[in-house]
Amino acid sequence: MSEDLHALQRRLAEFAAARDWQQYHTPKNLAAALSVEAAELVEIFQWLTPEESATVMSDPRKAGRVEDEVADVLAYLLQFCEALGIDALTALAAKIDRNETRFPAVRSARPDRPREGGEE
């Protein structure tokens, strides 16, 4: 990655401060904005077949839309973490640790039956 998360959080904070937007960046507002941007990402894939969704990045127009929405989701998530003092990478590492305990690796899955469980 070209910039670390903390540098990106600083850039986002400076961007918001330069426009006097910090007053609107409450946890509630940021969570709502994050949800809206995630929904916009889902919308791109809404009616695609699984095969079409797997190749969406081969269409430059769609790829640009996906990248923009991913950027919006990440920007709001980083601002949300900043507002609440959450270190996103530490939180993610802890969640992975918990999931490794909750969902032990399966040595061999039977191809005729899906695995139970999943990430939460």
Side-chain angles (χ1 to χ4, degrees), residues 37-59:
E37 295 301 338
E40 290 179 4
L41 180 60
V42 170
E43 184 179 33
I44 296 167
F45 294 89
Q46 185 174 11
W47 303 113
L48 300 181
T49 65
E51 296 77 20
E52 289 169 336
S53 70
T55 61
V56 74
M57 298 305 285
S58 64
D59 177 338

Side-chain angles (χ1 to χ4, degrees), residues 9-120:
Q9 280 179 311
R10 282 191 306 277
R11 283 185 66 193
L12 288 165
E14 290 167 4
F15 182 88
R19 289 151 182 84
D20 198 26
W21 289 351
Q22 321 89 302
Q23 60 187 317
Y24 306 110
H25 289 189
T26 65
K28 178 190 88 56
N29 288 351
L30 292 167
L34 175 58
S35 174
V36 169
E37 295 301 338
E40 290 179 4
L41 180 60
V42 170
E43 184 179 33
I44 296 167
F45 294 89
Q46 185 174 11
W47 303 113
L48 300 181
T49 65
E51 296 77 20
E52 289 169 336
S53 70
T55 61
V56 74
M57 298 305 285
S58 64
D59 177 338
R61 190 177 64 75
K62 286 182 184 173
R65 287 183 60 211
V66 169
E67 289 174 353
D68 282 349
E69 296 308 334
V70 165
D72 289 342
V73 168
L74 183 56
Y76 280 120
L77 179 59
L78 291 177
Q79 290 173 90
F80 179 82
C81 289
E82 178 76 15
L84 292 177
I86 297 169
D87 181 312
L89 294 180
T90 299
L92 177 57
K95 180 66 176 187
I96 292 169
D97 290 344
R98 287 191 304 277
N99 281 342
E100 287 175 338
T101 300
R102 288 178 63 204
F103 308 106
V106 179
R107 291 196 184 264
S108 63
R110 290 181 43 193
D112 61 330
R113 63 197 294 211
R115 286 197 243 169
E116 293 183 26
E119 271 189 55
E120 292 181 15

